[in-house]
Amino acid sequence: MALYSEKVMDHFRNPRNVGVIEDADGVGEVGNAKCGDIMKIYLKIEKDVISDVKFETFGCGSAIASSSMATELIKGKPLSEALELTNKAVAEALDGLPAYKMHCSVLAEEAIKRAILDYYQKHDLPYNEAVFADVLHEEE
Amino acid sequence: MTAYFDNAATTKMGRAAIEAMLPYFDEVYGNASSLHSMGQRAKEALEEARATVAACLGASPAEIYFTSGGSEADNQAILSAAKIGERKGKKHIITTAFEHHAVLHTLRKLEKEGFSVTYLTVGEKGNVSAEEVAAAIREDTCLVTTMTANNEIGSVLPTAEIGAVCKARKVLFHTDAVQAVGHIPVDVEKMQADMLSLSAHKFHGPKGVGVLYARKGVALTSLIEGGAQERGRRAGTENVAGIMGLAAALKEATAHLAENMKRVTALRDKLIAGLSRIPHSVLNGDPSARLPGNVHFCFEGIEGESLLLLLDDAGIEASSGSACTSGSLDPSHVLLAIGHPHEIAHGSLRLSLSEYTTEEEVDLALEVIPQVVKRLREMSPIWREKTEGKKPFLLP
């Protein structure tokens, strides 16, 4: 199908980092079943570096591919770098997404932010609220 | 091996239809309105096709209007009835909540122009009764429009009973028979339909050609102005080749209707039995009053588009009720109409069969679909929550 790029199809067919981390240091879930997309990201963090990451996704092909690509982009990276990951970067790494599927890359960015926020909150660590403005706003 | 299970979207053309069309591309290519002999030969072919179609539907040739397809026929039927109603001060229309958008969107347009529309609910089974139609008829009702069979979930409506109610109450009755014609018996007399829409490519004819049947005495309003074709009701040079293909395909489908229904129903039931074994799934649509070629399921915990993409990888061409690929985030209005929550409506799969469907294709589907559903469930966070007892299953 020419609906998606080869890269999207590759990450959809062979998603990287699928699964669960039982003793995760941070977990982030975004989306809802009503809209047809739920993304859940699990992080293992050692010395402010993402040492392992897994995801579970309920959603369309681009949602699964976006999750897979996003986890690849942050694996082994310091938290500060992971927080800079934008949805645009995820979409670009996938060689683009159809306009009406861009929200899938937004979900991936938000799921990561939420998982990192969860890590900071669980461990009573200080964090810059401005960085999490989007996900904190949704909680209200 | 590939297996084509999207016959409700469109069908492969039959040889008879293709061969019926060929002479009209480069031999008898005259304009049916021309006075020279080639034009008149085209005109004769056109009228033969009209007679064939009329005979297959139990109509008379003067009641057959060729259109560009089912959507145009639906639009014209409804707008014509609205015009007739308006002249008598009747501006109420009855329909069902799960019609095709060619019907629903036309009705929305009329609502903006001051018509009121009753959308009959279709219940869990996805059907309506003639009694429900009767109860909704008012003094100012000018039209009842209900589909003969639903395009997504395959329910076959009690059209003859609805037609009888409309006749008794003297209300115009239109039925969108796009999914029914060529697949189940359709007879305008038995259905007591005043208008009926059909589309050639749903029964192995060409795309871009359809029919509006309008009973003698029902005044049609033109949607397209510009010429006297189709007795002044539909301007534009007739698509003679397409119309020949439509007539040949309809003749073929009508001649083999009983045997095809029997064969396709058996394959359908094999698929339904096999897919029903997938836990936490549900067959949508009326289980008994059902199109021979329709299988429609929802699988809990997964989303339809990813299901379709993985099935396509495995050679299975199917579709879903999910509007995901059409650029909308809303799930199918049909699945919401039968009462599914959004979460379930997102996980839908439609397999639509035809007389060309083989046992091997069915076996491939039965082998692949359970595997793909399992694979997607294994990466679904909501499936995990349900299996761990954190959230309830919505489907048994």
Side-chain angles (χ1 to χ4, degrees):
Chain A
M1 269 187 226
L3 176 63
Y4 295 128
S5 71
E6 271 307 308
K7 214 152 213 175
V8 171
M9 287 310 291
D10 175 38
H11 276 262
F12 166 64
R13 289 185 180 121
N14 312 296
R16 282 64 149 176
N17 309 309
V18 177
V20 179
I21 300 175
E22 291 297 347
D23 57 343
D25 297 308
V27 179
E29 183 176 313
V30 293
N32 61 66
K34 198 175 173 209
C35 297
D37 291 301
I38 298 179
M39 241 176 240
K40 197 166 181 179
I41 300 256
Y42 302 83
L43 299 176
K44 196 81 197 143
I45 294 163
E46 281 167 35
K47 293 180 187 160
D48 280 346
V49 170
I50 296 172
S51 60
D52 196 12
V53 52
K54 297 273 187 222
F55 82 89
E56 291 179 307
T57 292
F58 159 84
C60 60
S62 62
I64 291 171
S66 296
S67 325
S68 168
M69 179 55 85
T71 56
E72 282 287 272
L73 291 172
I74 62 165
K75 202 171 181 176
K77 298 278 163 64
L79 289 178
S80 56
E81 244 179 78
L83 282 171
E84 281 169 13
L85 181 73
T86 62
N87 79 293
K88 258 184 95 180
V90 174
E92 274 165 21
L94 288 167
D95 291 340
L97 288 172
Y100 66 98
K101 293 288 187 181
M102 280 304 283
H103 72 278
C104 294
S105 63
V106 174
L107 283 180
E109 177 194 324
E110 287 181 353
I112 289 167
K113 287 219 168 81
R114 193 169 280 270
I116 295 174
L117 177 66
D118 180 55
Y119 164 72
Y120 285 141
Q121 288 176 337
K122 257 195 215 152
H123 296 78
D124 276 329
L125 295 166
Y127 57 89
N128 179 356
E129 281 191 22
V131 172
F132 298 99
D134 290 347
V135 288
L136 282 168
H137 179 72
E138 275 172 27
E139 274 177 7
E140 281 162 12
Chain B
M1 177 182 169
T2 60
Y4 184 71
F5 283 109
D6 204 10
N7 288 284
T10 196
T11 56
K12 149 177 162 168
M13 276 189 68
R15 281 320 304 177
I18 293 172
E19 273 153 30
M21 293 175 77
L22 291 178
Y24 298 91
F25 289 117
D26 60 354
E27 287 171 35
V28 190
Y29 54 85
N31 187 320
S33 301
S34 292
L35 289 180
H36 50 67
S37 9
M38 186 167 63
Q40 289 310 299
R41 278 175 67 198
K43 176 81 179 162
E44 281 161 27
L46 186 66
E47 295 315 318
E48 262 171 51
R50 199 184 305 281
T52 302
V53 171
C56 291
L57 299 175
S60 67
E63 297 171 319
I64 301 298
Y65 299 84
F66 292 112
T67 68
S68 67
S71 292
E72 186 190 327
D74 283 340
N75 273 255
Q76 190 168 14
I78 292 166
L79 295 173
S80 298
K83 260 280 160 48
I84 296 166
E86 200 167 25
R87 282 199 290 267
K88 299 176 186 163
K90 294 182 170 187
K91 296 180 78 172
H92 174 242
I93 297 171
I94 298 165
T95 189
T96 74
F98 73 163
E99 294 297 309
H100 190 273
H101 284 131
V103 168
L104 292 179
H105 290 180
T106 306
L107 292 174
R108 293 226 178 97
K109 188 160 90 175
L110 288 172
E111 282 181 304
K112 284 188 195 133
E113 292 169 14
F115 280 79
S116 69
V117 179
T118 299
Y119 299 91
L120 297 172
T121 56
V122 295
E124 265 179 43
K125 246 168 78 175
N127 218 328
V128 291
S129 67
E131 292 73 34
E132 288 166 309
V133 173
I137 294 177
R138 314 190 312 210
E139 280 294 305
D140 62 340
T141 304
C142 63
L143 172 71
V144 170
T145 173
T146 57
M147 63 204 327
T148 313
N150 182 268
N151 52 314
E152 281 190 37
I153 58 174
S155 300
V156 175
L157 281 68
T159 302
E161 286 88 335
I162 296 171
V165 162
C166 294
K167 190 174 186 189
R169 305 283 292 272
K170 297 192 170 61
V171 175
L172 280 181
F173 175 47
H174 165 252
T175 187
D176 170 357
V178 166
Q179 292 290 334
V181 170
H183 303 287
I184 56 172
V186 170
D187 181 306
V188 293
E189 276 313 311
K190 284 185 189 143
M191 289 176 160
Q192 313 214 29
D194 297 302
M195 290 181 281
L196 176 147
S197 311
L198 65 87
S199 174
H201 74 103
K202 305 293 190 185
F203 50 83
H204 311 289
K207 294 165 183 64
V209 56
V211 165
L212 172 58
Y213 155 82
R215 183 181 295 285
K216 197 164 175 283
V218 176
L220 292 183
T221 303
S222 307
L223 302 186
I224 300 170
E225 303 294 345
Q229 292 90 351
E230 298 301 298
R231 296 179 296 290
R233 302 299 177 211
R234 206 281 183 180
T237 300
E238 299 88 345
N239 173 9
V240 178
I243 289 166
M244 296 310 284
L246 180 152
L250 184 57
K251 197 174 168 186
E252 184 86 355
T254 308
H256 301 285
L257 190 65
E259 55 186 285
N260 286 342
M261 280 180 71
K262 198 172 158 213
R263 234 195 102 248
V264 176
T265 301
L267 292 175
R268 174 197 76 185
D269 291 345
K270 184 174 178 181
L271 272 171
I272 290 176
L275 295 178
S276 296
R277 284 200 282 273
I278 296 177
H280 306 291
S281 63
V282 66
L283 173 72
N284 296 308
D286 200 316
S288 47
R290 186 175 197 93
L291 283 175
N294 179 286
V295 175
H296 193 291
F297 274 85
C298 280
F299 303 109
E300 187 162 7
I302 63 171
E303 193 277 336
E305 192 216 68
S306 46
L307 176 62
L308 291 186
L309 292 173
L310 288 181
L311 289 182
D312 188 48
D313 275 352
I316 292 173
E317 291 156 333
S319 93
S320 77
S322 156
C324 215
T325 46
S326 69
S328 155
L329 295 179
D330 296 326
S332 143
H333 69 288
V334 174
L335 297 180
L336 298 179
I338 59 172
H340 282 318
H342 282 67
E343 177 190 332
I344 298 300
H346 278 297
S348 63
L349 175 69
R350 180 184 70 185
L351 302 174
S352 45
L353 293 68
S354 83
E355 55 266 40
Y356 293 103
T357 306
T358 64
E359 187 99 31
E360 288 72 35
E361 289 179 304
V362 167
D363 290 340
L364 179 69
L366 286 175
E367 182 193 324
V368 168
I369 293 168
Q371 294 170 6
V372 171
V373 169
K374 185 164 174 278
R375 182 174 157 191
L376 287 170
R377 279 176 171 175
E378 279 168 0
M379 66 166 90
S380 162
I382 51 176
W383 181 254
R384 170 178 302 280
E385 286 179 344
K386 287 167 193 283
T387 51
E388 289 175 351
K390 289 175 188 157
K391 272 191 186 155
F393 282 107
L394 302 175
L395 298 176

